[in-house]
Amino acid sequence: MVTKPDLTVKFCKLELESPYMLSSAPPTCTGEMIMRAFEEGWAGAVTKTIKPDKTAVYDYDNRFGIMGFEDKQMVVFENIEEVTKRPLGTWIKEIKEVKKKYPEKPLIGSLMAEPKEDEWEALARAVSEAGVDMLELNFGCPHGMPERGMGAFCGQRPELIEKLTKASKQGSNVPIMVKLTPNVTDIAFMGKTAEAAGADAISAINTVLGLIGVNIDTFEPMPTVNGKSTFGGMSGPAMKPIAMRCVAQLCQATNIPVSGIGGITTWRDAVEFLLIGANNVQVCTSVMWRGYRLIHDMVDGLTQYLDDKGFSSVKEIQGLTLPKLTAWSKLDKDWEVVAKIDKDKCIKCGICFVGCRDGGYQAIKFEQGKAAEVDEEKCDACSLCTLSCPVPGCITWKRVKK
Amino acid sequence: MSGRTHTTVLTPQDRIKTFDPYVANLIDRTAWYEASRCIMCFDAPCVTACPTRINIPEFIFRIKTRNYRGSAKIIRESNIFGGECGYVCPVERLCESKCVRNNLGEEPVAISLLQRFVYEMEKPKGLVKFDKAPSNKKKVAVVGAGPAGLSAAYELGRKGYEVTVCDSNAKPGGLLIYGILPWKVAWSVAESEIANIKEYGVRLLTKKPIADAKGLLKDFDAVYISTGATKSAGLGIPGEDLPGVHLAQDFLYKVACYVKGEGKAPELKGKKVVVVGGGDTAIDCAMASLRLGAEKVYVLYRRSLSEMPAVPYGRKQAKEEGAEFMLLTAPVKIIGGNKVSGVECVKMELGSPDASGRRSVKPIKGSEFTVETDVVILAVGQKPDEAALKSFGVKVKDGLIEVDKNYATSIKGVFAGGDAVNGGDTVVEAVAEGKKAAEAIDKYLSGRK
Ligand SMILES: Cc1cc2nc3c(=O)[nH]c(=O)nc-3n(C[C@H](O)[C@H](O)[C@H](O)COP(=O)(O)OP(=O)(O)OC[C@H]3O[C@@H](n4cnc5c(N)ncnc54)[C@H](O)[C@@H]3O)c2cc1C
Ligand SMILES: Cc1cc2nc3c(=O)[nH]c(=O)nc-3n(C[C@H](O)[C@H](O)[C@H](O)COP(=O)(O)O)c2cc1C
Ligand code: SF4
């Protein structure tokens, strides 16, 4: 029989059967939903953010927006949703139910409270005593909550990250993960602050503050709540590069495990996060878009990938790419090349020509019906033509000494 | 969203020169593009329209993530002839007809092209294998190695039964090998999938006709009959016994043997051919005749185009290749001395719809005319070999084996399915029936020690 690569991951004290967890968001809004997700194959879940009963929460109707591109209906998702509206007691009951039915699946409680140490300590105590395996401190939500001193308000202030992480540690006996916002100047610094305050792990990113669009017929900003809107949190596929940058910076700057979040839609995205050093990944928007069932291909595709590449476990790829990320000034200045067009592959579309003429170095000669040609003297090897050419492998690089 | 991906199709002039496939396959990039057209419907209607219930959105999604092997697993899990079906299914009336893109006023996702693509990506590494249960020592005999029989044999083999399949032909595969011609799909596709089935411990015995199905119960715990419907019906008009008149199934069997280099084809070079019938088999006969060098091919059908059961794609292909459709035309008599010289026909007119919604037809008095021809091929329906069914000893109704909802025949322990039961449907229906019968047989035998 075939031997399958080992997908298990050790995350602090937690044993994950695969690196895939659901992030704190609508897909983990109730115990019933989390149990269905576990049944479908998700390895772990972070609850929708839980808050003390005294913190009032409101959710506007029509709180989501999207941006598409060309044939893609959605590349960015935006929300102005707050944390859970459900009472603490309900969550405690449901956490117990989930842990009873799925004792082997890690369940992480996400927390948010006003920036007062005693509130965080009490909340951490209540939720960890309910039986979660870890706590995640939501210092990231960039809309609604910060207007009342919560979410990204804390994640943008190192002194609050420190104080509230310490307070939460005080209140609980399970590992603590700090979820950071990308809406800061230096996320690595925030990560180091959390680590110094005793955080056992970091998760990133929460959503990116944005404005998803304006309806040019009604002049209303989106998502429109009866005519008006506010800045919201962006997630989904187009946020992946920002998320990967943040995760890589955190992996470089700290010595605690990082749970990667942001724009993960397929196993391929997950592999990229693992390669830059993420211990595991969390997913939200793509599951909202297509359902828990995405886990099937996420697991199968990763298994197949590891097998094809000759790896026996997911641990072997974690961080493989990280050492290859360096400072701009340390890249190889002796790497000199020019573009080379394969005449036989060229379909004579002229795309490389027009790009190089109007957005490059006027280095491509092209005449209708003939293959395009590179003027090696003029080529500055910027890469534009190789990327915009619709034929894979048609434009390649030739080493030169300039 | 942009339109459906089309692959290269050889010109009609070029493709009738050979019996080879003439539709090119998708490649990596075009497959990825076409896959992105799938909306990934929940409880997708295309899946319900597939008799074997392949999880189509999932296999297409895996093309998009370039997890081709995972995609192949999804297809093979539901349909052990998934490659063959990708090529031969009449998708215009199955999965693709239910694609929600039709509702958007667009062409459906090219499911069959994507399914072929996945098979072609799967093949080089060897077809996907699943775990097999250890032998349970129970024995099942399967009579007929067509898609119905082989699908049942595979399912039972995987469950741990010791399965023996007997077929009268020289090669296993039934109509996949002796009916469907290679311009639709290379025989190597079915052959690879049959070889794969053997790996589940299924024994295949060829040139082994079975006459007495009940007798097999002496040596086997259960029997599955899947002998197909390989006899063509006639019309019962004068002149059907003249030399030059062929029955569709015999004709196509001979053509298949000829293409394999195992026999001679009917001599059609430079001849005029009349094919009678409006189904997919009639289209196949017309296309085979053109490939054998017929100078002119007429397809006679007694109703109009909108009643024609053949899928539009096949009709279009045959027409492009030069077949001429004579609609609302019925043969009355085949004329000739010692061989066929023509067909006397009558024009028909459409009446009001009957209970099933199909419009009735009646001859127009005095409209008789004659089509000159050298050859007539009757493709007006198929049926099982009645004498054979009788010898099996099972109860027969309207010329077909009678079964209950569990595919059980009148004899305890004897099950049946495929064309022999449904009267002639599709490969994918045969595969689905084989699967369901295997489940019923498993249930029946698990209850016994
Ligand atoms: C010309 C033609 C073209 C077709 N094209 C398509 C197509 O494009 N797409 C599609 O989906 N369907 C097509 N079909 C229909 C499809 O081939 C059949 O529905 C399908 O093969 C039925 O499978 P089966 O297993 O029931 O029978 P078969 O495939 O007919 O197999 C029956 C087997 O039983 C064997 N057998 C019979 N009697 C005995 C006996 N007494 N002892 C031992 N063995 C015996 C036969 O030798 C044969 O191998 C086509 C059919 C024809 C005739
Ligand atoms: C509608 C919505 C609600 C969210 N609510 C929370 C929340 O309550 N707590 C939290 O920590 N993150 C919340 N998030 C952020 C996600 O957990 C995640 O960090 C972010 O969406 C990026 O991942 P993605 O691209 O996979 O969606 C929410 C995201 C969305 C889209
Ligand atoms: S997704 Fe459900 S809750 Fe949200 S608007 Fe639609 S119906 Fe209402």
Side-chain angles (χ1 to χ4, degrees):
Chain A
M1 213 60 280
V2 273
T3 51
K4 283 199 182 135
D6 175 17
L7 295 197
T8 61
V9 167
K10 199 163 156 56
F11 180 43
C12 297
K13 283 187 236 157
L14 283 49
E15 305 274 354
L16 290 163
E17 67 188 39
S18 78
Y20 299 109
M21 295 201 285
L22 287 172
S23 74
S24 171
T28 58
C29 257
T30 68
E32 185 272 337
M33 292 174 82
I34 293 171
M35 288 193 279
R36 264 194 294 118
F38 282 170
E39 206 51 52
E40 197 80 28
W42 288 88
V46 187
T47 66
K48 174 79 185 165
T49 301
I50 304 172
K51 45 90 199 169
D53 288 339
K54 68 175 266 275
T55 302
V57 161
Y58 185 78
D59 269 334
Y60 291 106
D61 286 356
N62 306 143
R63 53 190 171 276
F64 301 154
I66 54 172
M67 187 183 89
F69 181 68
E70 292 189 348
D71 62 340
K72 296 283 165 284
Q73 191 183 350
M74 184 274 286
V75 292
V76 184
F77 190 92
E78 192 189 281
N79 82 89
I80 53 168
E81 170 168 310
E82 293 210 316
V83 300
T84 191
K85 292 177 287 241
R86 309 169 80 225
L88 182 57
T90 310
W91 271 110
I92 289 175
K93 188 172 133 269
E94 292 182 9
I95 287 167
K96 286 182 178 152
E97 271 168 33
V98 175
K99 280 315 298 181
K100 189 162 167 225
K101 190 144 181 235
Y102 297 92
E104 77 294 353
K105 298 243 189 192
L107 180 64
I108 300 172
S110 167
L111 311 183
M112 185 188 290
E114 282 177 36
K116 296 175 190 146
E117 284 153 290
D118 55 335
E119 278 196 22
W120 280 87
E121 186 181 331
L123 188 61
R125 179 167 297 115
V127 176
S128 59
E129 279 173 0
V132 295
D133 303 282
M134 190 186 237
L135 292 174
E136 184 182 76
L137 314 185
N138 180 346
F139 295 155
C141 178
H143 41 79
M145 312 307 303
E147 293 176 20
R148 284 166 280 154
M150 290 177 272
F153 182 90
C154 302
Q156 288 159 343
R157 287 164 179 76
E159 65 283 8
L160 286 182
I161 293 181
E162 187 189 340
K163 208 167 82 171
L164 303 175
T165 304
K166 282 185 175 159
S168 307
K169 283 223 72 118
Q170 205 72 44
S172 86
N173 46 5
V174 295
I176 300 260
M177 162 160 70
V178 169
K179 184 169 180 180
L180 293 173
T181 172
N183 305 301
V184 292
T185 314
D186 183 1
I187 197 167
F189 176 71
M190 302 300 178
K192 280 190 278 192
T193 307
E195 183 181 22
D200 302 282
I202 299 171
S203 51
I205 55 174
N206 208 311
T207 52
V208 182
L209 194 65
L211 171 56
I212 199 77
V214 171
N215 182 326
I216 60 171
D217 296 318
T218 62
F219 317 125
E220 291 167 354
M222 296 190 275
T224 305
V225 179
N226 196 20
K228 290 193 179 159
S229 192
T230 184
F231 302 125
M234 301 190 296
S235 59
M239 296 302 108
K240 196 183 89 179
I242 297 178
M244 294 230 295
R245 183 263 298 169
C246 291
V247 168
Q249 285 181 325
L250 289 164
C251 289
Q252 285 170 334
T254 72
N255 290 310
I256 47 180
V258 177
S259 181
I261 321 171
I264 295 165
T265 309
T266 71
W267 61 270
R268 305 180 71 89
D269 303 322
V271 167
E272 291 184 50
F273 273 86
L274 295 168
L275 286 171
I276 58 160
N279 173 285
N280 59 73
V281 296
Q282 300 182 29
V283 183
C284 160
T285 302
S286 58
V287 168
M288 292 176 69
W289 209 240
R290 290 296 184 260
Y292 297 135
R293 59 191 166 147
L294 291 184
I295 189 62
H296 301 301
D297 179 56
M298 283 184 173
V299 167
D300 189 78
L302 177 61
T303 308
Q304 201 67 53
Y305 169 83
L306 292 173
D307 198 34
D308 287 351
K309 298 278 178 213
F311 292 110
S312 59
S313 92
V314 80
K315 296 172 198 93
E316 289 168 28
I317 66 165
Q318 280 169 344
L320 273 189
T321 303
L322 200 59
K324 297 176 195 278
L325 273 166
T326 182
W328 182 90
S329 54
K330 292 201 182 125
L331 299 179
D332 185 359
K333 296 203 174 64
D334 292 331
W335 173 250
E336 291 187 315
V337 294
V338 290
K340 194 178 91 195
I341 299 174
D342 185 331
K343 278 209 289 292
D344 299 326
K345 285 190 179 152
C346 176
I347 57 169
K348 307 170 183 72
C349 65
I351 289 288
C352 57
F353 163 75
V354 73
C356 188
R357 187 191 68 182
D358 298 350
Y361 299 81
Q362 301 81 46
I364 293 179
K365 289 189 288 251
F366 175 68
E367 215 180 293
Q368 192 187 65
K370 292 198 188 133
E373 252 180 90
V374 177
D375 178 342
E376 296 186 0
E377 288 304 308
K378 288 188 177 168
C379 174
D380 204 46
C382 69
S383 287
L384 182 62
C385 58
T386 50
L387 300 174
S388 63
C389 173
V391 184
C394 174
I395 311 184
T396 50
W397 298 116
K398 185 170 114 187
R399 274 310 293 261
V400 287
K401 200 77 216 133
K402 278 185 198 158
Chain B
M1 183 48 95
S2 346
R4 171 176 164 125
T5 316
H6 293 269
T7 57
T8 317
V9 180
L10 289 186
T11 63
Q13 296 82 332
D14 279 340
R15 64 192 191 226
I16 62 171
K17 287 180 195 151
T18 75
F19 281 84
D20 296 337
Y22 59 82
V23 179
N25 279 325
L26 294 167
I27 56 170
D28 203 69
R29 211 153 23 91
T30 50
W32 187 84
Y33 171 80
E34 186 60 23
S36 354
R37 294 186 64 234
C38 173
I39 300 175
M40 224 183 160
C41 302
F42 180 74
D43 194 10
C46 54
V47 178
T48 315
C50 169
T52 57
R53 302 283 185 275
I54 293 175
N55 188 344
I56 295 163
E58 182 74 23
F59 101 67
I60 293 181
F61 181 72
R62 292 180 183 204
I63 296 175
K64 238 166 48 172
T65 77
R66 294 183 184 70
N67 177 11
Y68 299 142
R69 196 111 190 122
S71 182
K73 271 186 231 164
I74 295 292
I75 296 170
R76 207 154 286 293
E77 203 163 54
S78 296
N79 185 333
I80 200 67
F81 279 106
E84 178 79 9
C85 283
Y87 284 94
V88 306
C89 276
V91 288
E92 280 170 284
R93 52 169 182 262
L94 298 172
C95 52
E96 290 186 14
S97 74
K98 293 294 183 312
C99 175
V100 298
R101 287 214 170 269
N102 293 302
N103 310 343
L104 291 169
E106 290 178 25
E107 283 187 279
V109 173
I111 300 169
S112 64
L113 283 180
L114 290 169
Q115 193 168 322
R116 292 172 200 183
F117 171 77
V118 172
Y119 167 79
E120 297 300 337
M121 300 306 288
E122 176 189 12
K123 192 170 55 174
K125 268 192 155 188
L127 303 192
V128 167
K129 298 275 173 310
F130 301 106
D131 288 343
K132 174 186 175 331
S135 167
N136 61 18
K137 297 278 185 288
K138 288 177 189 160
K139 293 187 170 65
V140 181
V142 172
V143 185
L150 290 173
S151 146
Y154 154 73
E155 298 287 346
L156 290 164
R158 194 177 159 187
K159 285 180 171 38
Y161 291 91
E162 291 175 10
V163 187
T164 307
V165 187
C166 302
D167 199 290
S168 42
N169 282 336
K171 289 190 175 128
L175 291 174
L176 307 186
I177 299 297
Y178 290 100
I180 298 177
L181 291 162
W183 69 74
K184 284 189 204 167
V185 54
W187 282 313
S188 61
V189 175
E191 282 160 5
S192 71
E193 296 188 310
I194 294 168
N196 179 48
I197 291 172
K198 279 198 204 163
E199 297 200 18
Y200 291 86
V202 172
R203 270 176 79 208
L204 281 181
L205 305 177
T206 49
K207 295 190 185 162
K208 200 154 179 61
I210 301 294
D212 176 13
K214 199 172 175 180
L216 289 171
L217 285 175
K218 283 203 284 294
D219 299 314
F220 294 89
D221 299 296
V223 174
Y224 182 62
I225 304 178
S226 47
T227 46
T230 43
K231 290 270 170 282
S232 286
L235 279 169
I237 57 172
E240 277 188 28
D241 48 1
L242 280 173
V245 179
H246 301 269
L247 293 172
Q249 304 257 5
D250 301 341
F251 171 75
L252 290 167
Y253 179 84
K254 280 189 200 134
V255 178
C257 291
Y258 160 73
V259 180
K260 286 184 182 39
E262 292 170 4
K264 272 174 63 183
E267 188 49 63
L268 295 189
K269 208 163 222 102
K271 295 203 171 148
K272 288 202 184 76
V273 177
V274 165
V275 179
V276 183
D280 295 322
T281 303
I283 301 291
D284 282 0
C285 290
M287 290 173 72
S289 301
L290 288 160
R291 280 162 179 72
L292 290 172
E295 181 206 302
K296 185 77 220 166
V297 175
Y298 299 101
V299 178
L300 261 60
Y301 179 52
R302 55 200 210 112
R303 295 168 202 265
S304 72
L305 212 53
S306 51
E307 284 83 19
M308 212 178 209
V311 290
Y313 178 79
R315 293 192 320 234
K316 180 167 164 271
Q317 302 293 300
K319 205 164 172 181
E320 277 176 13
E321 292 176 6
E324 194 174 311
F325 288 82
M326 300 178 78
L327 302 169
L328 290 165
T329 303
V332 189
K333 185 169 142 192
I334 299 170
I335 42 188
N338 50 5
K339 63 179 200 55
V340 173
S341 66
V343 182
E344 195 182 305
C345 302
V346 64
K347 282 300 219 181
M348 311 290 280
E349 64 184 348
L350 287 170
S352 45
D354 63 9
S356 70
R358 209 154 99 131
R359 295 178 72 182
S360 63
V361 277
K362 58 175 197 296
I364 303 173
K365 275 218 180 67
S367 69
E368 288 80 3
F369 68 103
T370 300
V371 186
E372 273 179 34
T373 189
D374 310 299
V375 172
V376 175
I377 304 171
L378 299 176
V380 292
Q382 58 189 123
K383 55 183 190 200
D385 181 344
E386 262 199 271
L389 295 196
K390 280 228 173 72
S391 76
F392 291 151
V394 293
K395 199 165 160 200
V396 174
K397 192 180 164 197
D398 299 330
L400 303 172
I401 301 178
E402 194 179 40
V403 295
D404 66 12
K405 63 176 194 317
N406 293 320
Y407 294 91
T409 67
S410 58
I411 304 175
K412 197 165 157 49
V414 178
F415 296 74
D419 281 3
V421 165
N422 63 36
D425 199 311
T426 52
V427 174
V428 65
E429 177 60 28
V431 174
E433 290 184 13
K435 242 168 83 170
K436 287 185 241 172
E439 230 159 78
I441 293 170
D442 180 43
K443 233 189 206 149
Y444 166 74
L445 290 180
S446 318
R448 299 186 345 160
K449 272 282 149 292

